[in-house]
Every structure is written in C-alpha cells, then in structure tokens.
Amino acid sequence: MHRKVRRISMWLSGIAMLVAGTLFVFPGTKGHAETTSGADAEAVAAAGATTPFATVEAETGTRGGGAALRSLTPGAAAPTAASLETEASGYSLVELKATGASVTISNNTGKAANTLVVRASIPDAAAGGGITASLNLYVNGVYRQAISLSSKQAWNYRDATTNPDDPNAGGSPYRFYNEFPVWVTGAPIAAGSTIKLQKDAANTAAVYDIDSVDLENVGAALAQPANSLSVVTYGADPTFAKDSTVAIQNTVNAAKTQGKSVWIPSGKYLTNSLTTTTLNFTGVKVQGAGMWYTTIYRKVPLPTPAGWRSQILVGSGTTLTDLQIDANATWRGVGGNGGSDYGINASGAGGWLVDRIWTRHIDANWLSGTNGIIQNSRTADTYGDGFNVNNGNTPNPDKLGKNITVQNNFARNTGDDSFATYSDAGASGTNPQVDGTKILNNTAIAPWWANGLRVAGGQNIQVKNNLVNSVSSNSALDLGVFGDTGNPLTSVTVSGNVLNGGGGWNGTRHGVRISSPSSTSLFPTAYSTVTMTDNTLNGALRSGLYIDKTRVNLTLTNNTINRPAKQGIWIPAGVTGTGTFTGNTVTNLFSGQVATQNDSAATFKVTG
C-alpha cells in the first residue's frame, strides 16, 4: 500500500460535498487513491490513508423494491441519542425491509474485486445475543451468492443494569453495525459491473440496514520466507479444530533461540487456551500469509474466567506483519465477561514494528514504548480505541510512550477514539509526558463511541493529514487532557486534516473541541497549547470549533470551516488565554449563525 496524492470524496446525508476544492474521483466511492501531477496535484487533498480497497456508500447506489434512504438532515437539531443514522458513514444508509428491496452499486474502481466488506446492521434478538441471517448478492443482475450477516457482536446497551448485551435492562442501544468480509464466489467482479444486495424470501431478518461496501482485489497468499519456522511444524492447527496457543508460543520461543523468524501459514488458528500467560511475540519477527489469509482467532469462553487474557504482546525488537486478529467478544471490559481484550499490547524501549495487520472485535491496540511504528493496518468493530498511544499509566522505562508513529491506518466502527494519544501522570503525578507521538495520514470512519481523533495530554505531538468521517457520539477531533490525572497538553500541531461531521449525541459536542485540565486536576492551572493549520472542518452537527473549560493558547491559521450547523468558532464565557487567528475561512453558514462568537472577549484575546 503506497501513498499517492489523491482526491477525497465525502458524502453527507447523500449529498456530495466539495472538499479542498475538488469533488470525488469515482461516483459513489470515497478514500480511493488517484495519481495526479503538476498544479492539479497541489490543489487536491492529501488527507487519510491510502488503502488497497475502495469504499462505496450505499446511499449513492440505486434503490429498488421499496428500499428507503435514511439520513441526518444538515443543519437540523443535533441528535440526542445514538441511531442507525448517527453511526452510518456519511450519516446515511439504505434500509431494506420488503422482499425484493435492493440497493445496487457499481464497481467503478477500475479493477476487478474478488473480496467485499459489507458494513450492515440487522436486528438484535428479543432477549439479546443477536441473530444470524443471509442477504443475497447479485452481480450484473445475476444471483451470485448469499452473504451471512449477524448481530451477535453488535447491539450493546449503554447503562443496562445487567450487562451491556441485555436489551431488556433499561439501557440505550448503540453499536448497531458490523463488518462482514466476503470472498466473492466464482469470477472476480469485473470493473464496471454492478453489485446488488437484495432481500429475497430466503433472507429472514426483518430489516437490513446497509451502510457501505468495500471492494478489493486481494492478491495471492504470501509464501513462507527463508530462515523461518512454521507454527504448523510445532503443532498449530490452521483448520480451527484445536487450540494453537501453546504451539504458536513454542514456535516463537524456538525462533528466538535459533535467530529465525516465525511463519504463520494461511488458515484460522484457534486461541482459547486457559493458560495463565498470553501470546508474547517479543524479540522476533512474526509473519502471516496476509490479512485475508491468516487469522488468529480468540474464542474466549463466555462468561470469561477471571484473569483470562487474550492480547498479543509486542515488545522490543518485534516485527509483526500480514495477519488478522479476531475474537468472539461481545462487549467492552478488558479481561471481563464480554471477552474483550487488547488486539496488540506493544511496549519496549528498543522499538517495534507492526505492519499490515487487521484487528476486529477487540478492545484497543494499546501502544507504548519508544520508537514504535504501526502502519498500513486496519481495525474494525472494536469495543475500545482503534489505536491508542500511551505511557502505560506507569513510569516503566519500557512504556514511556516516546516517538511512537501511527501512519497510514484505517479504523471504522471503533468503540472509543479511532486514533488517540494519552499521557497519564498517575495518582502521584510522576509518570513522564508522552512525547513525540505522530498520527499521520490515517482514516477514521464512524466511531460509535468517543472521537475520531483525540490528543489527551503530551508534548511535541503531531496530528497531520488524517481524514475523519461521521462521528456518532462525540467530536471529530478532541484536544485536551483525560481525567484528573491526565498530563497537560504542552504542545500539539494539527495540520492538513479533513474532519467531516462531529458534534454527536453524548452531551454538547462539536466538530472540534479544545479543552484544558479541570479545577480538580493534578495540574489545575495548566494551559493547553494548540497550533492548527490548513485543516478543513465540514458539516459539524453543532459548532465547527469549540473552546471548552478555561485555559487555552490557540494558534489558528489558514483553516476552513464549512457548513457547521451552529457557529463556525465558539468561545463560550469563562475561557482564558490567547488566540492568534489568521487566514481562516468560515463558509456556508446556516441562517442566523455567525462565523465567530467570542463570549470571553475580555479574558481570551484574539489577534489577527
């Protein structure tokens, strides 16, 4: 996956939006990479990850058989509860209820697709736990195959009095969608072909809510590299029939002793051992046959026994590449009864590399240490953050959170911040600052909880050229601290990002929020120092940019705030600090709204 300058496409409520001066490349796709040159290359946006797949929004397709469009209305009152619309990418979806209802999209990627990822929602079971139902796929109008969908890992209920999977315990539903990877039966779907998803008589769910489809042409499985040990040789089972935990770990241990790497061939490997230790890949290279071919699957006993962990440890000297990590988890709670745990837990003073992995149905990818890199990877349907850079909430020298880079990754449907960096001082206030985090050229789509991008304390932080689309509950970007033990935000540079939506239902949220430590913090007088340059903020569900709490020093240069539902920039009463605002543009305001509202003019001085 190599990076190219490209046009960004963004759909909000089914309407094409102009982003950075250009429209989308292919009708109905977004995030697709296209080579450009000369003056045209300088004019187009370079935000977001370059991926091997293209995403087509269902709402851009042709509806038939009574299929309905559901979407949020731009400028309408902000939502007060989670809904299928708030959690859909582009805040729009297509709903199939009647037999014969369908949505048809086109493969306009310019190449064949032998795989699809369908993002969809079907109803929960009446007593919770989910259902399974098929949906039929047609290519060029001819039936090709049935796709199996499930709600077993969707439909959680916030504040339920029993557990988050119980719809009858007074909770509020959220986490409606799931992603379903599909190998296309028969010939790949040729460029220019149509793809139809249709509810036929055999498709028994009461309703199918279709958000988007990814199209990808996956190459052949990778071959075993030289000087490597195969986990199958050591007893691992690629057929998913028996537990492979011990065999995989034994291979890692032998490779470390022999100075070799670890090879995990194509297959699905069950890891449900109740051993007291989790898989630990520290100090070796572990490679799979590709994220579509090699899967380590955690079939966690539910309810989960106390102390049972399924995370994969990545430490100093580790390289982890080309595989998928999945699980049967049903709700959040690391090591808890929902079966959730970190995808990878990375640390180590000696650096590490994670490349081309796909994590699904996990809690978070938890990233600390020094000089670590995670790149070209994806995460989906998580119960926690997509990618979280941190200092391990401890002064441990292997968990400093120093110079960690998160680049060219794709996150969708995360159960907390899609991309975050988190500096915790600890109860005594002695944990060191997270320093030098780089969050570069990533894509965050439709997190169902929290923010698209979050910077919670730290220094020398860079958040550059990322794309955020359709945050459900919180903000597209949140800059500040986390909790009373959070370290101050000493310095962050935010530049070249495209932030679409934000300002969701979880309290009063906005497109971008900037905050500082509270009065009960360990650092009650600390300021947040933020530089924002050349960002584009589109279609916030409330204000485009909001300054919260009190102490903020903000430099705002050459940013564009387009079509916010409320004010472009809102500085409420009680804010102290300084603002240097130059070259910014607020466009397409709704009637009665203002570009900048400073209710703290006496204490927050804006110059420029």
Side-chain angles (χ1 to χ4, degrees), residues 252-508:
V252 171
N253 297 342
K256 190 179 300 185
T257 299
Q258 298 176 37
K260 296 183 177 181
S261 65
V262 174
W263 166 246
I264 308 182
S266 294
K268 187 176 182 180
Y269 297 84
L270 175 64
T271 56
N272 69 341
S273 172
L274 294 181
T275 58
T276 57
T277 57
T278 187
L279 287 173
N280 189 337
F281 292 170
T282 297
V284 299
K285 179 178 181 179
V286 178
Q287 180 180 341
M291 62 176 70
W292 278 90
Y293 292 101
T294 297
T295 299
I296 296 176
Y297 189 92
R298 307 162 176 176
K299 193 174 181 181
V300 180
L302 299 175
T304 312
W308 198 93
R309 298 298 301 270
S310 59
Q311 63 187 325
I312 293 177
L313 301 180
V314 169
S316 293
T318 302
T319 297
L320 176 63
T321 70
D322 299 298
L323 54 79
Q324 182 179 149
I325 300 167
D326 199 357
N328 67 330
T330 54
W331 72 79
R332 188 172 189 176
V334 172
N337 285 341
S340 183
D341 205 343
Y342 298 138
I344 60 167
N345 187 342
S347 61
W352 46 265
L353 173 65
V354 176
D355 196 3
R356 299 185 304 275
I357 72 166
W358 190 359
T359 53
R360 306 175 60 225
H361 305 115
I362 61 163
D363 185 87
N365 291 298
W366 193 249
L367 313 169
S368 65
T370 302
N371 298 328
I373 300 172
I374 186 166
Q375 61 187 14
N376 307 322
S377 296
R378 350 180 166 174
T379 195
D381 302 330
T382 68
Y383 298 95
D385 298 309
F387 302 87
N388 185 305
V389 178
N390 58 81
N391 58 7
N393 312 107
T394 173
N396 187 326
D398 274 327
K399 298 182 178 181
L400 294 179
K402 189 172 183 178
N403 299 327
I404 306 297
T405 299
V406 181
Q407 62 186 12
N408 203 60
N409 302 291
F410 182 92
R412 185 166 49 198
N413 202 38
T414 57
D416 212 314
D417 306 314
S418 298
F419 297 90
T421 183
Y422 167 38
S423 185
D424 181 62
S428 64
T430 58
N431 294 352
Q433 274 276 34
V434 167
D435 190 350
T437 300
K438 296 180 178 65
I439 301 174
L440 312 174
N441 296 105
N442 302 287
T443 296
I445 305 293
W448 57 274
W449 178 246
N451 309 282
L453 300 169
R454 183 165 195 182
V455 178
Q459 61 188 12
N460 304 316
I461 311 299
Q462 297 181 38
V463 180
K464 294 186 176 183
N465 300 329
N466 301 285
L467 171 65
V468 176
N469 185 1
S470 310
V471 175
S472 178
S473 67
N474 287 21
S475 302
L477 169 65
D478 189 280
L479 305 167
V481 296
F482 184 84
D484 285 350
T485 63
N487 274 315
L489 180 53
T490 304
S491 56
V492 60
T493 299
V494 179
S495 64
N497 303 282
V498 176
L499 309 171
N500 298 310
W505 55 265
N506 183 33
T508 304

Side-chain angles (χ1 to χ4, degrees), residues 7-11 16 23-35 54-57 60 106-111:
R7 294 179 174 90
I8 300 295
S9 67
M10 163 60 189
W11 288 83
L23 284 172
F24 56 96
V25 180
F26 299 120
T29 68
K30 71 179 178 187
H32 184 81
E34 180 190 54
T35 302
T55 298
V56 184
E57 290 294 326
T60 68
S106 297
N107 178 6
N108 288 334
T109 64
K111 59 184 179 181

Side-chain angles (χ1 to χ4, degrees), residues 87 120-124 128-130 150-157 164-165 174-180 329-331 361 381 383 413:
E87 291 187 16
S121 174
I122 60 175
D124 195 4
S150 173
S151 56
K152 293 180 181 296
Q153 292 177 286
W155 290 90
N156 286 171
Y157 300 87
D165 206 29
Y174 61 169
R175 186 185 167 82
F176 303 109
Y177 292 92
N178 213 325
E179 299 193 359
F180 302 96
T330 54
W331 72 79
H361 305 115
D381 302 330
Y383 298 95
N413 202 38

Side-chain angles (χ1 to χ4, degrees), residues 15 50 61 97 101 121 126 141 186 202 209 240 245 251 262 267 282 334 358-359 382 396 483 489 525 555 596 598 602:
I15 301 171
T50 298
K97 279 188 174 180
S121 174
D209 293 299
F240 203 61
T245 309
T251 314
V262 174
T282 297
V334 172
W358 190 359
T359 53
T382 68
N396 187 326
L489 180 53
T525 62
T555 301
T596 301
N598 187 356

